[in-house]
Amino acid sequence: MSERTVWRWLAQAAADPGATAHPGARSGDRFEITAEVRVLLAYWRGNASAVHRQLMARARAAAGEPAVAVPGGAPTEAVPVLDPVPSLSTFLRAVRRDLTAGERAALAIGPEAARAHDVFGKRPRLWRNHTWEADHVQAPLLVDADGDLVRPWVTWFIDVATRTITGTAVTPGQPSRASILAALRAAILRSGPYGSAGGIPEAVRIDRGKDFLSRTVLGVFGTLGAEVDDLPAYSPHLKGTVENLNRSADRMLFAALPGYTVTPSPRRAKKEQELADCDAAPPLTFTEFTAEVLAWTTWWNTEHRPDGLTGQTPIEAWQADPTPLSDIPEAALWALMLEDDGRTRKLTSHGVRWRGRDYVGAWMAGQAGRSVRIRYMPHHDHEIEVFDPAGRHLGSAHLADAATPEQLDALRRTRTARARRLREEAKKAQAMRRQRFAPATTPTAPQRLGAVTAAEANHELEAAAHSDMATLALPDLIPPAPPPEDWNTPTSPRSAGVRRSRVPKETR
């Protein structure tokens, strides 16, 4: 205890000899945060000083004293009357004592902020391929994809026990079930840039995204015999392995690439020259970005040593695990990743028709009239796979009369110009609808800005009225009357075909 505290205890003992048994003991009527005060704290978003000011104003009003209203405060009837109101230091101390750090963060920021102060259990480390986790992450950088600057998405699967990335797929635009199937196919095959890692997992943890819960993806997991654990919404802590992988990729990979769009915090800010160099660097192409992601994935599996693996790399932990693996032939896996059309069709002399378009293949010669079924990769409508009703693969078919690359470029430019024009028109319309008001320093009615003369207003209203009538006009409903005889008109309106001048007949 401090010397000041000891002297205070001695003074209390001198005044009250009974206080010597429990020096420094507090009285039992200390101030505590009640349910009504918690409501006020929620109203003021955790601002305890503002709550104390409103409690003081309410107490003065209850005592009949003139009180100054608290701007933006809660309704008076919702503020409890405390007798007496504790001091500000006592009130702040009670808030820190009766409310946990998570509750204070939730009041100030929101319910999601309380998760940073929660305690979560740690799952035991099991064996390889026991559980995989999958997720999408958008790279916060701009990549050149065929002339357009886009923010690509990365879809990957990671083994929870060994922290091994088993499969990855990169998509220039919004990911879909095709991205999941491509990454899953790479994860199951034990070849390529992922080394010997792969096989069929026993369970897969996913979030409740529509693409992960699509019929095609769930059907593939069901055929493989993998249990799907769809986690509740807004619960990233339940798949912490892949969420940690997303954060690691952001800090270790994306932040070091050109075109990174996240502004660094002041403590991590670079020099002005370095920022200028980064801004001047051209963005990566999609091919270069994909190569960077695959190279970083290889580094993660073969060189990185995450916590919890006792100094091993993920691939070393994978190879040290004696758990047997379940594989599937590549041909069967390829057919499994395709989505079934669901109906039987006939081969005609024009090929097979699907979604209003014809698909042809060299193997179709001499097989017109045969019953076939179509399977396809989602969103890859330039090519389909054709099977017989028994499930035997017959061959691939490509879109007949497909547009040339030049036609596709012209169509893309036309659509881009049209979209840009529509955006500009919408922006101009929004600017016309936007109203500006003059700033006020005293309680006055709002004053609109933008002076317009009476002539300008009438002209614009007449133009709008004429345009509205023009949209409602029916020019073919009542045919126009024939022109007068003394008019000089083209030959087409007259069957006679005689050229006439505006000069009257008698003076001609």
Side-chain angles (χ1 to χ4, degrees):
M1 296 297 173
S2 63
E3 181 180 355
R4 179 181 175 183
T5 301
V6 175
W7 281 112
R8 187 177 69 252
W9 289 355
L10 292 175
Q12 292 176 355
D16 183 10
T20 56
H22 303 284
R26 294 181 179 271
S27 59
D29 55 348
R30 68 175 184 178
F31 175 75
E32 295 182 353
I33 301 298
T34 61
E36 294 82 1
V37 177
R38 284 177 177 267
V39 174
L40 283 181
L41 286 170
Y43 179 86
W44 284 100
R45 297 182 63 86
N47 190 342
S49 299
V51 174
H52 184 266
R53 286 195 298 269
Q54 194 161 9
L55 290 175
M56 293 293 295
R58 175 64 167 159
R60 286 193 291 267
E65 301 178 3
V68 180
V70 179
T76 306
E77 58 273 10
V79 181
V81 179
L82 301 182
D83 188 22
V85 179
S87 63
L88 179 59
S89 59
T90 302
F91 186 78
L92 296 179
R93 184 168 56 250
V95 169
R96 290 191 296 267
R97 181 188 66 241
D98 297 342
L99 272 67
T100 63
E103 291 175 334
R104 296 196 298 270
L107 291 173
I109 303 175
E112 298 299 327
R115 185 181 300 150
H117 302 274
D118 291 340
V119 178
F120 304 102
K122 187 176 181 180
R123 294 190 180 98
R125 180 183 173 185
L126 301 174
W127 52 89
R128 63 182 182 181
N129 279 357
H130 177 272
T131 304
W132 286 1
E133 292 181 357
D135 197 11
H136 302 300
V137 61
Q138 187 178 25
L141 52 89
L142 296 176
V143 172
D144 183 5
D146 197 14
D148 296 332
L149 292 179
V150 299
R151 288 182 173 86
W153 288 77
V154 181
T155 305
W156 39 33
F157 288 81
I158 184 171
D159 180 63
V160 175
T162 63
R163 311 292 196 274
T164 305
I165 301 176
T166 55
T168 308
V170 186
T171 311
Q174 190 74 19
S176 62
R177 59 185 185 275
S179 307
I180 301 174
L181 295 178
L184 181 59
R185 181 177 182 274
I188 294 176
L189 293 177
R190 297 196 293 126
S191 60
Y194 313 102
S196 59
I200 300 178
E202 299 181 22
V204 179
R205 292 196 195 105
I206 58 176
D207 55 19
R208 293 191 175 181
K210 292 183 178 180
D211 46 2
F212 281 104
L213 295 179
S214 63
R215 181 181 59 184
T216 304
V217 176
L218 292 180
V220 171
F221 285 140
T223 305
L224 294 175
E227 180 184 355
V228 178
D229 185 9
D230 54 327
L231 303 175
Y234 306 105
S235 55
H237 58 284
L238 297 180
K239 51 183 179 71
T241 304
V242 71
E243 293 293 342
N244 178 68
L245 177 62
N246 293 338
R247 290 191 296 268
S248 300
D250 185 21
R251 300 172 183 177
M252 298 180 180
L253 174 63
F254 301 148
L257 297 178
Y260 190 65
T261 58
V262 177
T263 304
S265 60
R267 62 186 180 186
R268 295 188 295 118
K270 302 178 182 178
K271 298 180 181 179
E272 296 182 359
Q273 185 61 35
E274 294 178 349
L275 290 175
D277 295 341
C278 292
D279 295 338
L284 296 175
T285 63
F286 179 71
T287 304
E288 295 171 343
F289 175 76
T290 305
E292 292 284 351
V293 171
L294 293 180
W296 185 82
T297 300
T298 303
W299 170 84
W300 175 280
N301 286 343
T302 59
E303 299 183 28
H304 182 55
R305 302 181 184 276
D307 295 338
L309 295 184
T310 64
Q312 294 178 315
T313 63
I315 199 64
E316 290 175 350
W318 177 277
Q319 295 173 349
D321 194 329
T323 304
L325 303 176
S326 299
D327 292 323
I328 184 173
E330 184 173 358
L333 181 62
W334 165 81
L336 182 63
M337 298 299 172
L338 299 176
E339 187 170 343
D340 195 348
D341 177 57
R343 44 179 298 199
T344 303
R345 303 172 183 270
K346 289 284 187 179
L347 280 180
T348 65
S349 58
H350 300 287
V352 58
R353 194 164 185 82
W354 180 60
R355 292 182 176 176
R357 295 183 288 185
D358 294 326
Y359 291 80
V360 296
W363 58 270
M364 295 182 180
Q367 301 194 49
R370 184 172 184 176
S371 298
V372 295
R373 295 180 67 92
I374 293 176
R375 303 190 71 178
Y376 59 96
M377 179 66 73
H379 308 293
H380 291 229
D381 51 0
H382 63 283
E383 181 183 14
I384 60 176
E385 303 297 332
V386 184
F387 294 77
D388 62 6
R392 186 170 61 90
H393 182 238
L394 299 178
S396 302
H398 299 269
L399 180 64
D401 194 20
T404 62
E406 293 78 11
Q407 291 174 327
L408 293 177
D409 292 340
L411 179 60
R412 189 180 301 111
R413 288 193 299 269
T414 303
R415 290 177 176 177
T416 303
R418 181 181 60 186
R420 186 183 299 112
R421 184 179 67 254
L422 293 176
R423 285 195 299 268
E424 291 176 356
E425 293 175 354
K427 187 183 298 183
K428 292 180 181 179
Q430 183 67 23
M432 293 177 63
R433 289 192 298 267
R434 186 182 301 116
Q435 295 290 336
R436 295 186 180 275
F437 296 88
T441 57
T442 57
T444 58
Q447 178 183 358
R448 297 180 184 270
L449 299 180
V452 181
T453 64
E456 292 175 345
N458 291 332
H459 179 71
E460 187 171 350
L461 289 175
E462 291 176 359
H466 292 165
S467 62
D468 293 341
M469 294 300 295
T471 57
L472 298 176
L474 300 175
D476 299 333
L477 182 61
I478 302 176
E485 292 295 333
D486 58 344
W487 281 20
N488 185 12
T489 59
T491 308
S492 58
R494 301 183 181 274
S495 59
V498 179
R499 180 178 178 85
R500 299 178 183 272
S501 64
R502 298 182 180 178
V503 182
K505 293 180 179 181
E506 56 271 11
T507 60
R508 205 180 312 170

